[in-house]
Amino acid sequence: MQFVRKIGIILFFGLMHFAPSQAQKNFQDIKQILLKNYNNIIVNVDSNFVYFKSGEKLPLNNSNEKKTFEDTLNYASIFDMFSQNYVYGKDFQIPIPKNFEPGRIRNDDFFRKIYGNSKNEVNKNLTNVVWLPKNYGIKIKFSRINGAAIQLQKVSDELDKLPKKFLEYLEPIGGTFNWRVIAGTNKLSMHSFGIAIDINTKHSHYWRNLKENKNGIYPYHNLIPLEIVEIFEKHGFIWGGKWYHFDTMHFEYRPEFFKNIK
Ligand SMILES: [Zn+2]
């Protein structure tokens, strides 16, 4: 009996260590995170709704009904967006556990309220960021809302100081603003809102271009140096290379996943 209990405890802590970081968040946690990171755009959150400065509100929808992962992805509530924690820095698990993809579970209505409800509306909120001012110096479009463009300029200025060997990953870039759905879905890409950037497509890996192995797992590939990833993260951008369904050239501004943004 004692032995069984010991094994139980070892298993329990073992699983805690290896299980992907699951966020057990309630509306109070989400309220704090949203008010801090969407200051002046979101004015309140209660157990039912997220309230916007415009006077509009969206359901939080923290129902306990069990959805499949596909359903969660396709019909994510704002609550669902916080169901997985983003792992900051170099110390993340490879291969990435199946369906662990913090930030990829998104509620489109939320982003429409923050960044614009149509191509035209988003377009009006775009401003220029100078990409790698010393080494490249082209202007790219990014949303000025919620400091997104300011943060991308900080990323750009810092990437510009990296040793030359990193440049091939950073230019030419794949693109920023583009009002479109995600391939194979009817959900809007974060490029639609002017808050995502693809770096050089040449060194990228995308899950959709690969086949599942015999265990039904997409084999993980990445060539993007983590020095680049860490600079993006420091300024509030999550990386598509940390998703089970990986997209390694892709970064998007998602301040709600970080405790401290520089
Ligand atoms: Zn992208």
Side-chain angles (χ1 to χ4, degrees), residues 106 174-176 180 189-191 196-199 206 243 247 249-252:
R106 313 180 188 91
T176 55
R180 62 173 167 82
S189 154
M190 290 298 106
H191 289 277
I197 178 169
D198 293 332
I199 56 174
Y206 186 42
W243 299 335
D247 180 0
M249 66 182 169
H250 178 91
F251 294 88
E252 64 185 61

Side-chain angles (χ1 to χ4, degrees), residues 92 96 220-222 239-244 246-250:
F92 64 104
I96 296 167
Y220 182 75
H221 293 280
N222 173 49
W239 175 45
K242 288 187 176 175
W243 299 335
Y244 170 71
F246 50 87
D247 180 0
T248 67
M249 66 182 169
H250 178 91

Side-chain angles (χ1 to χ4, degrees), residues 129-133 140 151-161 231-232 235:
V129 168
V130 185
W131 189 243
L132 311 185
I140 57 177
Q151 293 308 105
L152 185 64
Q153 189 65 64
K154 289 182 195 171
V155 170
S156 169
D157 293 350
E158 207 167 325
L159 291 173
D160 212 18
K161 293 179 193 141
I231 290 173
F232 271 100
H235 300 295

Side-chain angles (χ1 to χ4, degrees), residues 6 11 21 44 46 48 60 65 101 127 133 135 147 179 222 228 235:
K6 255 188 200 156
L11 270 178
S21 180
N44 197 15
D46 63 23
N48 293 313
L60 187 63
E65 69 181 88
E101 28 213 9
T127 187
N135 283 295
W179 184 272
N222 173 49
I228 290 175
H235 300 295

